[in-house]
Structure formats: structure tokens, C-alpha cells
Amino acid sequence: MKRFRSLFVIFLVLLVFVGGSGCIGGGKVTETIKEQASSAIESYTEGQSSSYTESPTQSYTETQSQTETETGDYASWINPWDAYKPVNIGGERYLITYVKYSLRIRKEEGAPIYEYEVEKKRGKTRIHVYGMNINMETGEQEKVDLGEFDAYEYYGKVTPVNAEEMNSTLEFKVWVKQRSEDTDLFFLFPTLEFATIYYSMYAGSGNAIGVWVKYGNQEFAFYNPAAVGEMSATPYQEGDVDMLSNVPDIEDLYLGWYTLYYFGFWTALEEENIYKPSQGSWGIMGWQYNYEINPDGTVTLGGKRFRVSNVKWNYVFGGATGQGEATIAANLPIPIEAKGVFISQDSGTNIFMHIKVEDMGFEKV
């Protein structure tokens, strides 16, 4: 039943993606894909019981770790892309604190393939928090350094290797009081966390301290003094947040990533034994999905060895077709390598995306 639900959710997303062909390739690609697909998934899953709930302060239990869940020679790939739960490696629990990806993307049929590197880090730090003091009688405003405070930092860097237009490194930091399931949500994605940045600035979360973004000679910073208990100063902002809309190639990376993310059928593998060679196919309302699983030795990352399998898939729905392949380890929530192509005859979309984990870092829980 779980497999059917997973496949039905994928079907809904595919329907939204293909049906909204007027939006594909437009200036609002990122918003359209995330908002419409998320809306479709939320509408379907509303009322479903959650298999995992935890407050930010609750301690982990063994069952809350990303693990191979082995029984003999059995392991499924559970909790794909979940950055919140620790992973289980050799009987020890670790939090993924660093990941380095190489990305390759082709956004049109026959077009060049562009290459980038993406690095993500997270961990505890101390930062200076700034605010704005206002003299109510004169109306004068003054930037003030409110001092150093403990924070949890999410850092990301996108480096062009062989880019279309991007000619400088993009760096960003997001600071929160403590990590939570919400703040971890996009950490393992090989993209800039637009949603996390805007959430930190505008959602009114008492957990969000600030953000910092830099591209070339453009820089943006935002601080929320109330998050660290400084109520005498108002939020402070430097630069223009709209600079994010002017960073070349970033929207293309989002487009490529979300086609691979939504159409890789990751959740469909949650009940499959990835340690046993197998093939299968399913159809639902004119949509067909086929897959193949083959165990393939071990891979070492961050000084840890992982048993891996290769997964291949292809699908068709109306005027949309796609195929892909990935190397996955049962106790890692991200594929070690994945590539896929998505083609929509209706919209003329033809996108190829390839991601590969080059390095990882772990912290024992």
C-alpha cells in the first residue's frame, strides 16, 4: 500500500509538471515547480498519519536513525533526502555535516552540458548580530553591533566549473538558534536554499537569526535581533535581496535538480530490497514505470565504507518520458551518484541532470 501511495504522489507531481507546460522554461520556474508540486503532494497526503514526529529538543532513538534495517541480506532505502535523522554506520550514529557535489546539466536537446560544484556544511558557531537603533524624536537610524551569540550555521557554496554565464562563486549562510527538522529540510539538496533564506527573513520564526549571501561584488545580509533576545533594536539589512534573482544559471540548476528530485522515484524504493537483483514495473492510469536493481560492491566516502547498489528506471506518461540511474547506499539518505533525463513533448522540455557526491563529512551523535 505504501508503494502505491508513493507512486500516486509521483503521478500527481508529474501531472502538475507536464500540465503546467506554459510555465516550463519561464521566469518563475523555481516557484512553479516547488509550489505546485508541493501543493499536489500536500493535498494528497493531508490526513495521512506521520511515521515520524519529533520536537527539536527530543533525543533520538535507534529507530530514528537512517539505517540499513538489515534482516539477513535485506535492506531498503528509507527516508530519502532526510537531513535531520542521523545515519547508522557500523553500529554508530552520525550526522552528515558536509557534502560536496559535482553537477552537470543540459537544459535543452542538443545543448552544451554545463558543470558546477556545490558544497554544503552545517554546525555550531558564534556570530556577531547587528540591529538598527532608531531615534524616535529625530528619526535617525544607526547600525549597532549587538555582540556575539551562539548560532547554528548552514553554509553553501556554488562554484562554476564550465558554466553558461555564472562567472563567480556564490556563497550563502543561514543562521538559526538551533537546528530542527524544518531548518534541515534543504541541507542535502545540491542547490541554494532559497526557501530557507526567505523563511528565515519573512516567516517570523523566532528561530531564525539571519542570512548572508555573496555573489561577485554583490552582497546581502539580514539580521533579526529579536531571535537572540535583543528587543531594543529592529532588524538590520544590507544590500538588496533581489540580487538572488540576478545570479546567472541558478534557476537552471533548480530546474534540473527538481526534475531529477521529483522524477527519480526515490520513495518507490522504500520497500525494495536493494541488496537483491530485481526488476519490476507498475502502471497507473496510463502511466508506466519500470525499474531494475543490481547490487554493486562498496564505495568509500568521508573515510566510511558503504555497500551500494545501482538502480535504473524509466517512465512514460502521455507526452512525457524519462529515464535515469543512481548508485545508492541503504544507510545514506542521498544517492552517491544519480543522473536522469526528463522530456515533455507538450512543452518542449528536454533536461539532463547529473549529480555525484565527491566527498562527505560526518559527526558522531
Side-chain angles (χ1 to χ4, degrees):
M1 184 63 181
K2 183 178 179 181
R3 176 186 297 165
F4 178 84
R5 291 200 302 267
S6 297
L7 294 178
F8 185 67
V9 169
I10 293 165
F11 164 77
L12 286 174
V13 175
L14 187 61
L15 182 63
V16 169
F17 195 95
V18 177
S21 59
C23 299
I24 301 303
K28 299 293 184 182
V29 170
T30 301
E31 295 178 14
T32 299
I33 294 176
K34 289 195 293 185
E35 291 178 6
Q36 290 189 336
S38 297
S39 177
I41 294 174
E42 289 172 6
S43 296
Y44 171 72
T45 57
E46 185 177 1
Q48 298 288 332
S49 61
S50 174
S51 60
Y52 175 77
T53 56
E54 180 179 355
S55 67
T57 57
Q58 185 175 346
S59 61
Y60 294 107
T61 66
E62 188 65 29
T63 57
Q64 290 167 339
S65 298
Q66 179 81 24
T67 177
E68 294 184 354
T69 53
E70 291 193 47
T71 303
D73 201 38
Y74 173 86
S76 61
W77 199 50
I78 61 173
N79 304 322
W81 309 104
D82 190 335
Y84 186 64
K85 301 180 184 68
V87 299
N88 191 315
I89 306 173
E92 300 284 347
R93 292 180 299 153
Y94 297 87
L95 190 68
I96 299 172
T97 56
Y98 173 78
V99 59
K100 180 180 181 180
Y101 290 102
S102 61
L103 270 66
R104 300 169 62 238
I105 180 172
R106 173 187 55 74
K107 59 181 182 178
E108 296 176 352
E109 182 178 1
I113 293 178
Y114 299 109
E115 301 178 38
Y116 308 82
E117 285 185 351
V118 175
E119 293 182 76
K120 295 288 194 70
K121 290 190 294 186
R122 61 179 172 180
K124 295 179 181 179
T125 188
R126 285 184 64 82
I127 63 168
H128 275 268
V129 175
Y130 299 91
M132 185 73 74
N133 274 349
I134 304 175
N135 186 314
M136 290 187 290
E137 294 188 4
T138 67
E140 295 177 335
Q141 302 178 68
E142 178 186 15
K143 175 185 176 181
V144 291
D145 184 342
L146 300 173
E148 268 197 354
F149 296 87
D150 291 328
Y152 196 86
E153 178 180 279
Y154 297 88
Y155 170 82
K157 180 168 70 173
V158 182
T159 303
V161 177
N162 177 28
E164 182 177 16
E165 295 183 38
M166 190 177 185
N167 57 18
S168 184
T169 296
L170 171 68
E171 293 182 273
F172 64 92
K173 297 177 182 179
V174 177
W175 298 294
V176 296
K177 288 194 294 185
Q178 60 183 3
R179 64 176 287 262
S180 68
E181 199 165 3
D182 288 335
T183 60
D184 279 351
L185 187 60
F186 299 98
F187 174 67
L188 292 177
F189 288 10
T191 56
L192 169 67
E193 281 102 317
F194 276 111
T196 304
I197 290 174
Y198 285 116
Y199 172 80
S200 298
M201 292 174 56
Y202 302 123
S205 169
N207 191 33
I209 299 174
V211 300
W212 172 85
V213 186
K214 182 178 182 181
Y215 175 73
N217 60 2
Q218 302 178 74
E219 194 167 337
F220 170 80
F222 175 87
Y223 297 89
N224 177 26
V228 292
E230 293 288 338
M231 308 302 292
S232 61
T234 63
Y236 176 76
Q237 178 175 318
E238 286 183 0
D240 187 353
V241 70
D242 288 340
M243 66 169 282
L244 292 172
S245 302
N246 300 321
V247 178
D249 301 0
I250 291 299
E251 190 170 274
D252 292 337
L253 291 179
Y254 260 93
L255 178 60
W257 159 241
Y258 276 95
T259 56
L260 185 61
Y261 174 65
Y262 281 123
F263 309 127
F265 305 101
W266 314 112
T267 56
L269 298 172
E270 290 186 0
E271 293 181 350
E272 297 292 339
N273 182 4
I274 67 169
Y275 286 168
K276 180 181 178 180
S278 60
Q279 295 179 336
S281 63
W282 298 282
I284 177 173
M285 292 185 285
W287 171 68
Q288 186 67 36
Y289 164 53
N290 308 298
Y291 79 95
E292 178 181 2
I293 299 173
N294 289 295
D296 190 33
T298 61
V299 169
T300 299
L301 284 169
K304 311 293 183 185
R305 180 176 292 184
F306 301 93
R307 187 177 178 183
V308 299
S309 293
N310 290 330
V311 179
K312 296 182 180 180
W313 64 86
N314 61 70
Y315 55 88
V316 59
F317 172 73
T321 59
Q323 68 181 56
E325 57 186 68
T327 300
I328 61 176
N331 53 340
L332 281 181
I334 56 177
I336 294 171
E337 185 170 8
K339 62 178 68 175
V341 61
F342 174 82
I343 301 172
S344 171
Q345 303 298 336
D346 296 333
S347 65
T349 304
N350 191 317
I351 299 173
F352 165 77
M353 186 73 170
H354 178 197
I355 64 172
K356 183 179 180 181
V357 176
E358 301 290 349
D359 196 10
M360 297 185 75
F362 303 91
E363 179 183 283
K364 185 175 289 188
V365 176

